[in-house]
């Protein structure tokens, strides 16, 4: 990889949302440090900024949850370490027992990797760094609570992520993957290239919608956990409908892939109608604006009908069936997208009205004797 490619890769990794999240983690670390310093007899609160940075360094939409997991793991580890110290004192085999107990307890409870790691680390630190008369366990717990609380306030109350772009970005990525694979299948049939067609079919079958499903789950969690994002719940559900139609289009594209295999295996070249129909399906997948999507879906339907009339083979029939399915899902996605946009516009129209009413009520209160 050359210097220019490395610079482009770094620029892509350091997008504005990413830089904003990194800045929040850095600021939270400083705030946690200053807050922990205010506690009497606390010493050097090194873990408070670490806890805040770890929590806010999580994936978008999971930062508040990561803070809670971290605090839970620290609390369990401190409790286990304190019990081992009280019963057996400090030492090497005591560290083994404390670490094993923390991992067994958290794993048995079905805790996440973050909880298990923090529990083990806290148990080790409590036993390994124990000094008679010290309050290391209390200090680490206070640090975890302060750092985690700072992270939760930032992630869930002050600066929660906007879940709408989170879902839309993943939907756009999936849409481009599917449309690109369909276009490649059409080009392979047009060139009568069997090997290229096999590669395109493999691309279609390998498309994974897990990232979009996870983005939708995260968006729903954000609208439940972050008070500022709760008004977006209905819009997220509409985007969920768009996602389900896109997911269904992925499955219908498997039928198109099966048809492409049969058409490519045929003794005669694929018809121009087959190439045009698959290209029309790709355009329907790419369409985002509702009117554009309806037009693209209708074009795909007509192209599938023309394919059936021009080619009576099983491969053409299977391909046309998949294309009609993609067109139907595109139409339903367009309807859901329109409803989501109406919700967004309705909220925009209500917000100034509410603010104006709120100011009028405040003015009336000031005029009361």
């Amino acid at each position: 990889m050359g210097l220019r490619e490395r610079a482009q890769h770094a620029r892509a990794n350091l997008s504005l949302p990413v830089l904003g999240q990194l800045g929040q983690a850095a600021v939270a670390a400083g705030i946690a440090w200053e807050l922990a310093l205010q506690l009497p007899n606390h010493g050097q609160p090194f873990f408070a900024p670490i806890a805040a940075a770890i929590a806010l360094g999580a994936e978008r939409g999971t930062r508040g949850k990561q803070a809670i997991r971290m605090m839970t793991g620290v609390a369990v580890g401190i409790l286990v370490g304190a019990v081992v110290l009280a019963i057996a004192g400090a030492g090497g085999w005591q560290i083994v027992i404390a670490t094993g107990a923390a991992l067994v307890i958290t794993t048995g409870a079905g805790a996440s990797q973050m909880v298990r790691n923090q529990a083990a680390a806290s148990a080790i630190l409590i036993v390994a760094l124990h000094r008679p008369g010290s309050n290391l366990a209390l200090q680490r717990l206070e640090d975890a609570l302060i750092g985690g609380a700072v992270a939760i306030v930032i992630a869930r109350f002050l600066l929660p992520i906007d879940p709408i772009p989170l879902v839309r970005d993943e939907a756009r990525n999936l849409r481009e993957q599917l449309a690109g694979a369909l276009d490649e299948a059409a080009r392979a049939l047009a060139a009568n290239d069997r090997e290229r067609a096999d590669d395109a079919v493999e691309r279609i079958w390998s498309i994974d919608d897990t990232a979009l499903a996870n983005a939708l789950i995260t968006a729903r969690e954000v609208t439940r956990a972050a008070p500022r994002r709760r008004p977006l719940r209905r819009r997220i559900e509409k985007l969920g409908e768009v996602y389900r139609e896109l997911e269904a289009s992925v499955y219908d594209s498997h039928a198109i892939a099966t048809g492409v295999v049969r058409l490519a295996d045929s003794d005669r070249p694929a018809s121009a109608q087959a190439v045009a129909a698959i290209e029309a399906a790709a355009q329907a997948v790419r369409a985002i604006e509702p009117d554009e999507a309806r037009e693209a879906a209708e074009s795909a339907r007509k192209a599938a009908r023309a394919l059936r009339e021009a080619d009576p083979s099983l491969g053409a029939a299977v391909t046309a069936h998949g294309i009609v399915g993609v067109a139907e899902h595109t139409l339903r996605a367009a309807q859901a997208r329109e409803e989501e946009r109406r919700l967004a516009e309705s909220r925009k129209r209500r917000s100034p009205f509410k603010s104006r009413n709120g100011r009028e009520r405040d003015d009336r209160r000031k005029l009361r004797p």
Side-chain angles (χ1 to χ4, degrees):
M1 185 183 292
L3 184 60
R4 178 176 297 177
E5 289 78 7
R6 291 180 184 275
Q8 292 175 346
H9 187 64
R11 191 181 303 113
N13 289 337
L14 295 173
S15 61
L16 286 178
V18 171
L19 288 175
Q21 183 172 336
L22 297 179
Q24 291 172 27
V27 171
I31 293 173
W33 170 268
E34 293 297 331
L35 290 176
L37 284 177
Q38 307 308 311
L39 298 177
N41 303 320
H42 193 70
Q44 294 292 320
F46 65 92
F47 187 67
I50 292 175
I54 289 174
L56 289 179
E59 293 293 328
R60 292 188 299 169
T62 64
R63 300 184 302 172
K65 182 183 294 185
Q66 179 141 309
I68 293 172
R69 288 172 175 170
M70 180 194 60
M71 290 188 289
T72 302
V74 170
V76 171
I78 288 173
L79 179 61
V80 171
V83 170
V84 171
L85 274 176
I87 296 175
W93 66 268
Q94 289 91 336
I95 289 178
V96 173
I97 292 176
T99 305
L103 290 173
V104 167
I105 291 171
T106 53
T107 302
S112 66
Q113 188 68 44
M114 165 65 77
V115 175
R116 297 199 298 269
N117 289 343
Q118 289 298 323
S122 297
I124 292 170
L125 289 174
I126 295 305
V127 176
L129 301 181
H130 174 68
R131 296 291 182 274
S134 68
N135 60 344
L136 179 62
L138 178 60
Q139 287 183 8
R140 181 168 172 82
L141 180 60
E142 290 173 341
D143 284 352
L145 293 176
I146 290 173
V150 170
I152 289 172
V153 168
I154 291 176
R156 291 196 169 176
F157 294 94
L158 298 180
L159 299 170
I161 67 161
D162 187 344
I164 301 293
L166 186 68
V167 176
R168 283 180 174 168
D169 289 346
E170 291 299 339
R172 186 181 302 110
N173 291 337
L174 182 59
R175 193 179 294 113
E176 285 301 322
Q177 288 181 51
L178 179 55
L182 291 173
D183 275 337
E184 181 59 22
R187 287 192 290 266
L189 288 180
N192 196 26
D193 188 332
R194 169 60 192 274
E195 183 177 351
R196 188 174 175 184
D198 287 342
D199 291 340
V201 167
E202 183 63 30
R203 279 182 61 183
I204 292 173
W205 279 97
S206 65
I207 292 173
D208 187 2
D209 64 342
T210 303
L212 178 54
N214 291 337
L216 186 60
I217 291 171
T218 299
R220 285 170 172 158
E221 290 177 350
V222 169
T223 57
R224 286 194 297 266
R228 288 181 57 194
R229 302 307 184 196
R230 284 174 190 164
L232 299 177
R233 281 179 293 184
R234 292 179 63 193
R235 291 181 63 190
I236 290 297
E237 290 310 312
K238 289 301 175 183
L239 288 178
E241 293 180 20
V242 174
Y243 153 67
R244 285 190 290 273
E245 298 302 334
L246 183 55
E247 178 190 37
S249 292
V250 172
Y251 294 136
D252 275 323
S253 72
H254 295 168
I256 299 175
T258 301
V260 168
V261 170
R262 289 184 173 275
L263 291 171
D265 282 338
S266 177
D267 294 334
R268 56 190 178 84
S271 64
Q273 287 83 358
V275 175
I278 297 173
E279 289 176 342
Q283 288 302 315
V285 169
R286 279 198 179 93
I288 295 177
E289 295 299 323
D291 290 340
E292 176 190 357
R294 291 189 182 94
E295 183 178 347
E298 185 58 33
S299 297
R301 278 176 169 172
K302 290 180 179 177
R305 190 161 49 247
L307 173 59
R308 285 198 185 101
E309 294 171 355
D311 188 345
S313 68
L314 179 60
V318 172
T319 301
H321 175 76
I323 291 169
V324 170
V326 169
E328 294 293 335
H329 300 311
T330 299
L331 287 173
R332 287 195 285 268
Q335 178 65 30
R337 189 173 289 110
E338 271 190 339
E339 292 174 4
E340 184 267 328
R341 290 182 177 179
R342 279 198 292 268
L343 289 171
E345 290 299 322
S346 175
R347 188 181 176 212
K348 286 180 182 178
R349 288 194 297 269
R350 287 198 306 266
S351 294
F353 179 76
K354 285 186 175 180
S355 298
R356 188 163 54 249
N357 281 354
R359 286 193 296 270
E360 289 172 358
R361 284 194 297 270
D362 289 340
D363 291 339
R364 287 197 295 269
R365 289 192 191 102
K366 291 176 183 178
L367 294 174
R368 288 174 184 170

